[in-house]
Amino acid sequence: MEEMDEKEFDSVVTTDLFNRMKQMIEEKLFPSENMIMLLKCIGYNKMLKCHRNRNLSHSELCNFFEKKINEEEKKEKEEKNEKLLMDLSECFITLGYAFPYELLSICVSYLLKVAMKKKESKETQKEVEMAFVALCSVEYYEVEKEMYLNEIEDIFQYHQEHHNLTRLAYQCAWQFLMNKLLADSSLKGAIVYELHFAREAARELEELKGKVDWKRKEEERNGGKGEKEELVLLRWLQTVYSFCGLQEVMNEEYIVLIDSVVQLFRAAKDNHKEISNMCICIFTIAVGDNAIGIDALLENEVIDVICGNIWQSTFEEKVPKECLSMLSAISHRLKGKEDDETEEAKRKMMKRKMIKKMEEEGFEDSISSFHGFISLFNKENRNGFYFNIEDCLTYNKGNEAP
């Protein structure tokens, strides 16, 4: 399974496979401990590579899991097999979807018990990692804050001091919390100011960037067969994307995070399309977010990335299209005059800096050869967005001083 791409994975992990597994368990043709180990391995690989396989939920094994979890949970405390409940919860959550609320609450509580283990042995680290891989698949289901917030805060604070979690476990823990933020905006303060997501994510991106072989060509990455560091890096970028989409308060840590994404893009742009495209998606949010100033975008070189990649010859690629849209968004932000004199002076200064940047990148010289490019963009775009290159970041003579 570690070598399978998503198509291969789906061809093997079928509803029929799960139905046969359930039959083998009932007929005692296969030791249940080994079956659980196999199912945990399937769920782990599915989540690591972000496969969307949902075949368990359409199988008889899914109903079997629900029944077994409920039966075991109803037992008296001294009769209850918590290890079995933890294992069943992990299999059920990683392989299924659309969970009944009561069952979800049971599974989350047992997975958190595993996740809170603090021993630094490799065996414990692996158990904790697999628990968090399961927890981050809970996605947007509403689970009361009281069920997890204190535990998650304790886990983060302990890790930030002792570094006991694996990189994947730490990323999954953040994704679990970010999923909850979509349903409960009151978590934003804790995520930004108490747990310092932006600072932690920037550090993780920087460290992972140093572990990836960026010289490996794109064609050498076949399907889901990338190095684990690359897979974890992509997962972190998806979590950063979720965070940036919800961020409304700019602080220094947020700006440092965007700078880390810029440096990652520069490392990935030649040989890793998936990572570089994900970086561009994050820049798109940053450019459109009024909380981060144009001056910050200039300082951390987001503007350089836009200018440096907008002139790619293959317009079918995602990057130049996104860069063109970002350029338009910056232009729109700099157009409207401010009533406050200080803010208006700042806007004009930023506009002058942007024009200087455009000139340094040969913007003016490229306009004549770029008409066909823009025409194709406007023709193919289905979102109603129309780009007029002559209006982009140029002054209206007579209306504004240069």
Side-chain angles (χ1 to χ4, degrees):
M1 282 182 288
E2 291 179 0
E3 296 300 319
M4 291 180 184
D5 61 22
E6 187 164 11
K7 186 176 180 180
E8 292 168 332
F9 186 91
D10 288 343
S11 70
V12 173
V13 183
T14 62
T15 301
D16 182 59
L17 174 68
F18 289 128
N19 288 339
R20 284 188 288 153
M21 283 182 168
K22 186 248 186 185
Q23 183 180 357
M24 292 172 76
I25 293 172
E26 289 182 329
E27 295 177 2
K28 299 182 179 179
L29 299 174
F30 200 82
S32 58
E33 297 83 4
N34 291 3
M35 188 70 79
I36 285 173
M37 188 183 299
L38 175 59
L39 287 165
K40 287 172 72 170
C41 183
I42 294 172
Y44 177 83
N45 280 281
K46 173 198 166 187
M47 293 305 302
L48 174 63
K49 299 177 182 180
C50 300
H51 294 336
R52 295 177 292 274
N53 186 295
R54 293 178 170 182
N55 290 330
L56 174 73
S57 295
H58 303 295
S59 72
E60 297 171 8
L61 185 60
C62 183
N63 297 329
F64 177 81
F65 274 150
E66 291 189 32
K67 182 181 177 182
K68 293 295 290 184
I69 292 171
N70 281 318
E71 285 178 352
E72 197 66 35
E73 176 63 13
K74 289 175 182 177
K75 290 181 181 179
E76 297 295 329
K77 186 175 182 180
E78 57 274 9
E79 298 178 355
K80 197 177 293 185
N81 186 338
E82 289 202 354
K83 175 66 168 63
L84 177 61
L85 277 166
M86 291 173 183
D87 288 339
L88 291 174
S89 296
E90 187 178 309
C91 295
F92 184 64
I93 295 295
T94 55
L95 292 169
Y97 78 109
F99 314 103
Y101 174 76
E102 290 185 5
L103 198 64
L104 180 66
S105 300
I106 294 170
C107 293
V108 168
S109 66
Y110 282 105
L111 289 170
L112 281 172
K113 285 184 180 181
V114 180
M116 290 192 71
K117 293 182 179 181
K118 292 184 171 64
K119 289 183 181 179
E120 296 183 21
S121 67
K122 287 188 176 181
E123 183 180 350
T124 299
Q125 282 187 325
K126 187 64 177 179
E127 288 179 10
V128 171
E129 180 180 272
M130 295 186 78
F132 271 124
V133 166
L135 281 167
C136 81
S137 68
V138 174
E139 294 190 350
Y140 316 121
Y141 296 99
E142 294 203 18
V143 180
E144 286 88 350
K145 206 163 33 178
E146 292 72 22
M147 276 190 65
Y148 63 85
L149 187 57
N150 290 338
E151 289 85 348
I152 288 290
E153 287 182 342
D154 179 62
I155 289 166
F156 282 158
Q157 288 164 358
Y158 187 86
H159 171 72
Q160 289 169 11
E161 185 176 348
H162 298 92
H163 305 286
N164 62 305
L165 300 176
T166 66
R167 293 190 187 280
L168 178 59
Y170 196 40
Q171 182 277 321
C172 288
W174 272 113
Q175 188 61 57
F176 170 74
L177 193 57
M178 211 64 68
N179 290 342
K180 304 288 92 52
L181 176 60
L182 293 174
D184 186 353
S185 60
S186 68
L187 293 171
K188 186 177 294 182
I191 288 173
V192 175
Y193 300 111
E194 295 174 27
L195 300 172
H196 302 281
F197 170 78
R199 179 194 70 194
E200 293 297 299
R203 180 178 56 77
E204 289 291 321
L205 291 180
E206 182 62 29
E207 292 184 6
L208 281 164
K209 179 169 71 74
K211 293 181 177 296
V212 173
D213 178 10
W214 298 111
K215 294 181 180 179
R216 198 157 66 108
K217 298 296 182 182
E218 188 71 44
E219 55 268 20
E220 296 174 23
R221 298 180 171 89
N222 184 11
K225 301 174 185 177
E227 297 173 358
K228 187 174 180 180
E229 288 83 1
E230 295 175 27
L231 296 171
V232 177
L233 187 50
L234 271 167
R235 292 177 63 92
W236 264 110
L237 288 173
Q238 289 162 355
T239 307
V240 169
Y241 180 81
S242 298
F243 172 76
C244 291
L246 295 164
Q247 172 72 344
E248 295 172 356
V249 180
M250 184 190 70
N251 58 16
E252 188 61 34
E253 291 179 356
Y254 182 34
I255 295 172
V256 170
L257 174 57
I258 296 300
D259 183 64
S260 296
V261 179
V262 169
Q263 304 313 315
L264 182 58
F265 174 82
R266 295 194 186 285
K269 66 177 182 177
D270 292 331
N271 290 326
H272 207 303
K273 187 183 299 183
E274 194 171 3
I275 288 178
S276 59
N277 283 353
M278 197 68 215
C279 292
I280 288 291
C281 290
I282 292 169
F283 299 147
T284 303
I285 292 180
V287 166
D289 184 359
N290 289 328
I292 187 168
I294 302 295
D295 52 344
L297 296 174
L298 281 163
E299 287 172 11
N300 63 21
E301 301 179 344
V302 172
I303 305 300
D304 295 64
V305 168
I306 296 171
C307 295
N309 292 276
I310 202 167
W311 314 114
Q312 292 182 17
S313 58
T314 53
F315 196 56
E316 291 74 19
E317 296 291 326
K318 180 182 181 67
V319 170
K321 289 184 179 181
E322 288 292 334
C323 288
L324 191 59
S325 295
M326 283 188 275
L327 190 60
S328 177
I330 292 170
S331 177
H332 179 75
R333 284 179 61 179
L334 290 174
K335 271 184 179 179
K337 292 186 177 181
E338 301 287 344
D339 294 331
D340 182 271
E341 289 185 7
T342 303
E343 290 300 314
E344 176 61 10
K346 183 178 179 181
R347 182 188 70 84
K348 286 187 176 182
M349 180 184 69
M350 286 299 105
K351 200 165 184 179
R352 283 193 290 270
K353 285 185 177 180
M354 278 298 303
I355 289 176
K356 183 179 179 181
K357 177 62 67 177
M358 295 296 104
E359 290 172 346
E360 288 174 356
E361 295 293 336
F363 182 81
E364 296 293 337
D365 294 338
S366 303
I367 287 179
S368 58
S369 63
F370 204 52
H371 275 287
F373 207 48
I374 297 299
S375 176
L376 179 61
F377 177 88
N378 289 333
K379 183 178 180 181
E380 291 188 350
N381 183 53
R382 295 180 176 86
N383 297 322
F385 169 75
Y386 182 80
F387 192 89
N388 186 344
I389 197 164
E390 280 81 3
D391 290 341
C392 185
L393 297 169
T394 57
Y395 282 99
N396 235 339
K397 291 183 179 179
N399 292 332
E400 278 192 50

